Structure formats: structure tokens, C-alpha cells
Coordinates of all heavy atoms in Angstrom, one line a residue:
M1 N 92.9 73.4 104.9 CA 93.7 74.3 104.1 C 92.8 75.4 103.6 O 91.7 75.2 103.0 CB 94.4 73.6 103.0 CG 95.3 74.5 102.2 SD 96.2 73.5 101.1 CE 96.0 74.4 99.6
T2 N 93.2 76.7 103.7 CA 92.5 77.8 103.1 C 93.2 78.3 101.9 O 94.4 78.3 101.8 CB 92.3 78.9 104.1 OG1 93.5 79.4 104.5 CG2 91.5 78.4 105.3
T3 N 92.4 78.8 101.0 CA 93.0 79.4 99.8 C 92.7 80.9 99.8 O 91.6 81.3 99.9 CB 92.3 78.8 98.5 OG1 92.5 77.3 98.6 CG2 92.9 79.3 97.2
A4 N 93.8 81.7 99.6 CA 93.6 83.1 99.5 C 93.1 83.5 98.1 O 93.5 83.0 97.1 CB 94.9 83.8 99.8
T5 N 92.1 84.4 98.1 CA 91.6 84.9 96.9 C 91.8 86.4 96.8 O 91.8 87.0 97.8 CB 90.1 84.5 96.7 OG1 89.4 85.1 97.8 CG2 89.8 83.0 96.7
A6 N 91.9 86.9 95.6 CA 92.1 88.3 95.5 C 90.8 89.0 95.8 O 89.7 88.5 95.5 CB 92.4 88.6 94.0
P7 N 90.8 90.1 96.6 CA 89.6 90.7 96.9 C 88.9 91.3 95.7 O 89.6 91.7 94.7 CB 90.1 91.9 97.8 CG 91.5 92.1 97.5 CD 92.0 90.8 97.0
S8 N 87.6 91.2 95.7 CA 86.8 91.7 94.5 C 86.9 93.2 94.5 O 87.1 93.8 95.5 CB 85.4 91.2 94.6 OG 84.8 91.6 95.7
S9 N 86.6 93.8 93.3 CA 86.6 95.2 93.2 C 85.5 95.8 94.1 O 84.5 95.1 94.4 CB 86.5 95.7 91.8 OG 85.4 95.2 91.2
L10 N 85.7 97.0 94.5 CA 84.7 97.7 95.3 C 83.6 98.3 94.4 O 83.8 98.6 93.3 CB 85.4 98.8 96.1 CG 86.5 98.4 97.1 CD1 87.4 99.5 97.4 CD2 85.9 97.7 98.3
S11 N 82.4 98.3 95.1 CA 81.3 98.9 94.4 C 80.6 99.9 95.3 O 81.0 100.2 96.4 CB 80.3 97.8 94.0 OG 79.7 97.3 95.2
A12 N 79.5 100.5 94.8 CA 78.8 101.6 95.5 C 78.2 101.1 96.8 O 77.9 101.9 97.7 CB 77.7 102.2 94.6
V13 N 78.0 99.8 97.0 CA 77.5 99.3 98.2 C 78.5 99.2 99.3 O 78.2 99.0 100.5 CB 76.7 97.9 98.0 CG1 75.5 98.1 97.1 CG2 77.7 96.9 97.5
D14 N 79.8 99.2 98.9 CA 80.9 99.2 99.9 C 81.0 100.5 100.5 O 81.3 101.5 99.8 CB 82.2 98.7 99.3 CG 82.1 97.2 98.8 OD1 81.8 96.4 99.6 OD2 82.4 97.0 97.6
R15 N 80.9 100.6 101.8 CA 80.9 101.9 102.5 C 82.1 102.1 103.5 O 82.5 101.1 104.1 CB 79.6 102.1 103.3 CG 78.3 101.8 102.5 CD 78.2 102.5 101.1 NE 78.0 103.9 101.2 CZ 77.9 104.7 100.1 NH1 78.0 104.2 98.9 NH2 77.7 106.0 100.3
C16 N 82.5 103.3 103.6 CA 83.7 103.6 104.5 C 83.3 103.3 106.0 O 82.2 103.6 106.4 CB 84.0 105.1 104.4 SG 85.3 105.7 105.5
D17 N 84.2 102.6 106.7 CA 84.0 102.3 108.1 C 84.0 103.5 109.0 O 83.5 103.4 110.1 CB 85.0 101.2 108.5 CG 84.8 99.8 107.9 OD1 83.6 99.5 107.6 OD2 85.8 99.1 107.7
R18 N 84.6 104.6 108.5 CA 84.7 105.8 109.3 C 83.5 106.7 109.2 O 83.0 107.2 110.1 CB 86.0 106.5 109.0 CG 87.3 105.8 109.2 CD 87.7 105.8 110.7 NE 87.8 107.2 111.1 CZ 88.2 107.6 112.3 NH1 88.4 106.7 113.2 NH2 88.3 108.8 112.6
C19 N 83.0 106.9 107.9 CA 82.0 107.9 107.7 C 80.8 107.5 106.9 O 79.9 108.2 106.7 CB 82.7 109.2 107.0 SG 83.2 108.9 105.3
G20 N 80.9 106.3 106.3 CA 79.8 105.8 105.5 C 79.8 106.2 104.0 O 78.9 105.8 103.3
A21 N 80.7 107.0 103.6 CA 80.8 107.4 102.2 C 81.2 106.1 101.3 O 81.7 105.1 101.9 CB 81.8 108.5 102.0
Q22 N 81.2 106.2 100.0 CA 81.6 105.1 99.2 C 83.1 104.8 99.4 O 83.9 105.6 99.5 CB 81.4 105.4 97.7 CG 81.7 104.2 96.8 CD 81.3 104.4 95.4 OE1 80.6 105.4 95.1 NE2 81.8 103.6 94.5
A23 N 83.3 103.5 99.6 CA 84.7 103.0 99.9 C 85.5 102.9 98.6 O 85.0 102.4 97.6 CB 84.7 101.7 100.6
Y24 N 86.8 103.3 98.6 CA 87.7 103.1 97.5 C 89.0 102.4 98.0 O 89.9 102.3 97.1 CB 88.0 104.5 96.9 CG 86.9 105.1 96.1 CD1 86.0 106.0 96.7 CD2 86.7 104.7 94.8 CE1 84.9 106.5 96.0 CE2 85.6 105.2 94.1 CZ 84.7 106.1 94.7 OH 83.7 106.6 94.0
L25 N 89.1 102.0 99.2 CA 90.2 101.3 99.7 C 89.8 100.2 100.6 O 89.0 100.4 101.5 CB 91.1 102.3 100.5 CG 92.4 101.7 101.0 CD1 93.4 101.7 99.8 CD2 93.0 102.5 102.2
R26 N 90.2 99.0 100.3 CA 89.9 97.8 101.1 C 91.3 97.3 101.7 O 92.2 97.1 100.9 CB 89.3 96.7 100.3 CG 89.1 95.4 101.2 CD 88.5 94.2 100.4 NE 87.1 94.5 100.3 CZ 86.4 94.3 99.2 NH1 86.9 93.9 98.0 NH2 85.1 94.6 99.2
V27 N 91.3 97.2 103.0 CA 92.5 96.8 103.7 C 92.2 95.4 104.3 O 91.3 95.3 105.2 CB 92.9 97.8 104.8 CG1 94.2 97.3 105.5 CG2 93.2 99.1 104.2
M28 N 92.9 94.4 103.9 CA 92.8 93.1 104.5 C 93.9 93.0 105.6 O 95.1 93.3 105.4 CB 93.1 92.0 103.4 CG 92.1 92.0 102.2 SD 90.4 91.9 102.7 CE 90.3 90.3 103.3
L29 N 93.4 92.6 106.8 CA 94.3 92.4 107.9 C 94.8 91.0 108.1 O 94.2 90.1 107.6 CB 93.5 92.9 109.2 CG 93.0 94.3 109.1 CD1 92.1 94.5 110.4 CD2 94.1 95.3 109.1
P30 N 96.0 90.8 108.7 CA 96.5 89.5 108.9 C 95.5 88.6 109.7 O 95.5 87.4 109.5 CB 97.8 89.7 109.7 CG 98.2 91.1 109.3 CD 96.9 91.9 109.1
S31 N 94.7 89.2 110.5 CA 93.7 88.4 111.3 C 92.6 87.9 110.4 O 91.8 87.0 110.9 CB 93.2 89.3 112.4 OG 92.4 90.3 111.8
G32 N 92.5 88.3 109.2 CA 91.4 87.9 108.3 C 90.3 88.9 108.2 O 89.4 88.8 107.3
G33 N 90.4 90.0 109.0 CA 89.3 91.0 109.0 C 89.6 92.0 107.8 O 90.7 91.9 107.2
E34 N 88.7 92.8 107.5 CA 88.9 93.9 106.5 C 88.4 95.2 107.0 O 87.5 95.3 107.8 CB 88.3 93.5 105.2 CG 86.7 93.6 105.1 CD 86.2 93.3 103.7 OE1 86.9 92.8 102.9 OE2 85.0 93.7 103.6
L35 N 89.0 96.2 106.4 CA 88.5 97.6 106.7 C 88.3 98.3 105.4 O 89.0 98.0 104.4 CB 89.6 98.4 107.5 CG 90.0 97.8 108.9 CD1 91.2 98.6 109.4 CD2 88.8 98.0 109.8
L36 N 87.3 99.1 105.3 CA 86.9 99.9 104.1 C 87.0 101.4 104.4 O 86.6 101.8 105.5 CB 85.5 99.5 103.6 CG 85.3 98.0 103.3 CD1 83.8 97.8 103.0 CD2 86.1 97.6 102.1
F37 N 87.6 102.1 103.4 CA 87.8 103.6 103.6 C 87.4 104.3 102.4 O 87.7 103.9 101.3 CB 89.2 103.9 104.1 CG 89.5 103.4 105.4 CD1 90.2 102.2 105.6 CD2 89.2 104.1 106.6 CE1 90.5 101.7 106.9 CE2 89.5 103.7 107.8 CZ 90.1 102.4 108.0
C38 N 86.8 105.5 102.5 CA 86.6 106.4 101.4 C 88.0 107.0 101.0 O 89.0 106.8 101.7 CB 85.6 107.5 101.8 SG 86.3 108.6 103.1
A39 N 88.0 107.7 99.9 CA 89.2 108.3 99.5 C 89.8 109.3 100.5 O 91.1 109.2 100.8 CB 89.1 109.0 98.2
H40 N 89.0 110.1 101.2 CA 89.5 111.0 102.1 C 90.2 110.3 103.3 O 91.3 110.6 103.7 CB 88.3 111.8 102.7 CG 88.6 112.5 104.0 ND1 89.3 113.7 104.0 CD2 88.4 112.2 105.3 CE1 89.4 114.1 105.2 NE2 88.9 113.3 106.0
H41 N 89.5 109.3 103.9 CA 90.1 108.6 105.0 C 91.2 107.6 104.5 O 92.2 107.4 105.4 CB 89.0 107.8 105.8 CG 88.2 108.7 106.6 ND1 86.9 109.0 106.3 CD2 88.5 109.5 107.7 CE1 86.4 109.9 107.2 NE2 87.3 110.1 108.0
A42 N 91.2 107.2 103.3 CA 92.4 106.4 102.8 C 93.6 107.3 102.7 O 94.7 106.8 103.1 CB 92.0 105.9 101.4
R43 N 93.4 108.6 102.3 CA 94.6 109.5 102.3 C 95.1 109.8 103.8 O 96.3 109.8 104.0 CB 94.3 110.8 101.6 CG 94.3 110.7 100.1 CD 94.1 112.0 99.5 NE 92.9 112.7 99.8 CZ 91.8 112.5 99.1 NH1 91.7 111.7 98.1 NH2 90.7 113.2 99.5
E44 N 94.2 109.9 104.6 CA 94.4 110.3 106.1 C 95.2 109.1 106.8 O 96.1 109.3 107.5 CB 93.2 110.6 106.8 CG 93.4 111.1 108.2 CD 92.1 111.5 108.9 OE1 91.1 111.7 108.2 OE2 92.1 111.7 110.1
H45 N 94.7 107.9 106.6 CA 95.2 106.7 107.3 C 96.0 105.7 106.5 O 96.5 104.8 107.0 CB 94.0 106.0 108.0 CG 93.2 106.8 108.9 ND1 93.7 107.3 110.1 CD2 91.9 107.3 108.7 CE1 92.7 108.0 110.7 NE2 91.6 108.1 109.9
G46 N 96.1 106.0 105.2 CA 96.7 105.0 104.2 C 98.1 104.6 104.6 O 98.4 103.4 104.6
P47 N 99.0 105.5 104.9 CA 100.4 105.0 105.2 C 100.5 104.0 106.4 O 101.1 103.0 106.3 CB 101.2 106.3 105.5 CG 100.4 107.4 104.7 CD 99.0 106.9 104.8
K48 N 99.7 104.3 107.4 CA 99.7 103.4 108.6 C 99.0 102.1 108.3 O 99.5 101.0 108.7 CB 99.1 104.1 109.8 CG 99.1 103.3 111.0 CD 100.5 103.0 111.5 CE 100.5 102.3 112.8 NZ 101.9 101.9 113.2
L49 N 97.9 102.2 107.5 CA 97.2 101.0 107.2 C 98.1 100.0 106.3 O 98.0 98.8 106.5 CB 95.9 101.4 106.4 CG 94.9 102.0 107.2 CD1 93.8 102.6 106.3 CD2 94.3 101.1 108.2
R50 N 98.8 100.6 105.4 CA 99.7 99.8 104.6 C 100.8 99.1 105.4 O 101.3 98.0 105.0 CB 100.4 100.7 103.5 CG 99.4 100.9 102.3 CD 99.9 102.0 101.4 NE 99.2 102.3 100.1 CZ 98.0 102.4 99.9 NH1 97.1 102.3 100.9 NH2 97.5 102.8 98.8
E51 N 101.2 99.7 106.5 CA 102.2 99.0 107.4 C 101.6 97.8 108.0 O 102.4 96.8 108.3 CB 102.6 100.0 108.5 CG 103.5 101.1 108.0 CD 103.8 102.1 109.2 OE1 103.7 101.7 110.3 OE2 104.2 103.2 108.8
V52 N 100.3 97.8 108.4 CA 99.7 96.7 109.1 C 98.9 95.7 108.3 O 98.5 94.6 108.7 CB 98.8 97.2 110.3 CG1 99.7 98.0 111.3 CG2 97.6 97.9 109.8
A53 N 98.7 96.0 107.0 CA 97.8 95.2 106.1 C 98.6 94.0 105.6 O 99.8 94.1 105.3 CB 97.4 96.1 105.0
S54 N 97.8 93.0 105.3 CA 98.4 91.8 104.6 C 98.1 92.0 103.1 O 98.8 91.5 102.3 CB 97.7 90.5 105.1 OG 96.3 90.6 104.9
E55 N 97.1 92.8 102.8 CA 96.8 93.1 101.4 C 96.0 94.4 101.3 O 95.2 94.7 102.2 CB 96.0 91.9 100.8 CG 95.8 92.0 99.3 CD 95.1 90.8 98.8 OE1 95.1 89.8 99.5 OE2 94.7 90.8 97.6
V56 N 96.2 95.2 100.3 CA 95.4 96.5 100.1 C 94.9 96.5 98.7 O 95.7 96.3 97.7 CB 96.4 97.7 100.4 CG1 95.7 99.0 100.0 CG2 96.9 97.7 101.7
L57 N 93.6 96.8 98.5 CA 93.0 97.1 97.2 C 92.7 98.6 97.2 O 91.8 99.0 97.9 CB 91.8 96.3 97.1 CG 91.0 96.5 95.8 CD1 91.8 96.2 94.5 CD2 89.7 95.8 95.8
D58 N 93.4 99.3 96.4 CA 93.3 100.8 96.3 C 92.6 101.1 94.9 O 93.2 100.9 93.9 CB 94.6 101.5 96.4 CG 94.6 102.9 96.5 OD1 93.5 103.5 96.1 OD2 95.6 103.6 96.9
E59 N 91.4 101.6 95.0 CA 90.7 102.0 93.8 C 90.4 103.5 93.8 O 89.5 104.0 93.1 CB 89.4 101.2 93.7 CG 89.6 99.7 93.5 CD 88.4 98.9 93.2 OE1 87.3 99.5 93.3 OE2 88.5 97.7 92.9
T60 N 91.2 104.3 94.5 CA 91.0 105.7 94.5 C 91.2 106.3 93.1 O 90.7 107.4 92.8 CB 92.0 106.4 95.5 OG1 93.3 106.0 95.2 CG2 91.6 106.0 96.9
H61 N 92.0 105.6 92.2 CA 92.2 106.1 90.8 C 90.8 106.3 90.1 O 90.7 107.1 89.2 CB 93.1 105.2 90.1 CG 92.5 103.8 89.9 ND1 92.6 102.8 90.8 CD2 91.8 103.3 88.8 CE1 91.9 101.8 90.4 NE2 91.5 102.0 89.2
K62 N 89.8 105.6 90.5 CA 88.5 105.6 89.9 C 87.9 107.1 89.9 O 87.1 107.5 89.1 CB 87.5 104.7 90.5 CG 87.8 103.3 90.1 CD 86.7 102.3 90.8 CE 86.9 100.9 90.4 NZ 85.9 100.0 91.0
L63 N 88.3 107.8 90.9 CA 87.9 109.2 91.1 C 88.4 110.1 90.0 O 87.8 111.2 89.8 CB 88.2 109.7 92.5 CG 87.5 109.0 93.7 CD1 88.1 109.3 95.0 CD2 86.0 109.2 93.6
D64 N 89.5 109.8 89.4 CA 90.1 110.6 88.4 C 89.6 110.3 87.0 O 89.9 111.0 86.1 CB 91.6 110.4 88.4 CG 92.3 110.9 89.7 OD1 91.7 111.8 90.3 OD2 93.3 110.3 90.1
E65 N 88.9 109.2 86.8 CA 88.4 108.8 85.5 C 87.3 109.7 85.1 O 86.4 110.1 85.9 CB 87.9 107.3 85.6 CG 89.0 106.3 85.9 CD 88.5 104.9 86.1 OE1 87.3 104.7 86.0 OE2 89.4 104.1 86.3
T66 N 87.2 110.0 83.8 CA 86.2 110.8 83.2 C 85.0 109.9 82.8 O 85.2 109.0 82.1 CB 86.7 111.5 81.9 OG1 87.9 112.3 82.3 CG2 85.7 112.4 81.4
P67 N 83.8 110.3 83.3 CA 82.7 109.4 83.0 C 82.3 109.6 81.5 O 82.6 110.6 80.9 CB 81.6 110.0 83.9 CG 82.0 111.3 84.3 CD 83.5 111.3 84.2
A68 N 81.7 108.5 81.0 CA 81.2 108.6 79.6 C 80.1 109.6 79.5 O 79.4 109.8 80.5 CB 80.8 107.2 79.2
S69 N 79.9 110.1 78.3 CA 78.8 111.1 78.1 C 77.5 110.4 78.3 O 77.4 109.2 77.9 CB 78.9 111.7 76.7 OG 80.1 112.4 76.5
A70 N 76.5 111.1 78.8 CA 75.2 110.5 78.9 C 74.5 110.4 77.6 O 74.8 111.1 76.6 CB 74.3 111.5 79.8
P71 N 73.7 109.3 77.4 CA 73.1 109.1 76.1 C 72.2 110.3 75.7 O 71.6 111.0 76.6 CB 72.1 107.9 76.4 CG 72.7 107.3 77.6 CD 73.4 108.4 78.4
G72 N 72.3 110.7 74.5 CA 71.6 111.8 74.0 C 72.2 113.2 74.2 O 71.6 114.2 73.9
S73 N 73.4 113.2 74.9 CA 74.0 114.5 75.1 C 74.7 114.9 73.9 O 75.2 114.1 73.0 CB 75.0 114.4 76.3 OG 76.1 113.5 76.0
E74 N 74.9 116.2 73.7 CA 75.6 116.8 72.6 C 77.0 116.8 72.8 O 77.5 117.1 74.0 CB 75.0 118.2 72.3 CG 73.6 118.1 71.8 CD 73.0 119.5 71.5 OE1 73.9 120.4 71.1 OE2 71.9 119.8 71.7
G75 N 77.8 116.6 71.8 CA 79.3 116.7 72.1 C 80.0 116.0 71.2 O 80.7 115.5 70.7

């Protein structure tokens, strides 16, 4: 018996299978394989990928987050 686990969040070491940029979308396939895509390719292929995926982890919202101020910065 296998136990399904939630995919872990993506990090900077996860790279897009199409272009090598940082991945923000992980697509789990029914076969057990996975595909990783940058935000650009996620937008381009996302609708079709969602049709065939067994699970999708979409972290493209991270691109909209405002980074914290750098230490020692004025503001």
C-alpha cells in the first residue's frame, strides 16, 4: 500500500523542465511522475496541465509578494 503525501513547497533549487528558470508550478501526473514549470510556462501550459494532472502545486503567487526590507535599509 502506498500513501500519498502532499508535495513539498518549491524552492530555488526546483527548476522549470522547459527552460531551467526557478519553478513555481509542480504538476503531479497520474503515472506518478512530476513536471516543474516557471511562472511563464505555467501560464502558457497551465490549463492543459490541470486537465491531465492528479495534483497541482501552484506557487506563482510568491512572485506578487513584497520582499522584506534589507537589514540596515532606511525606510
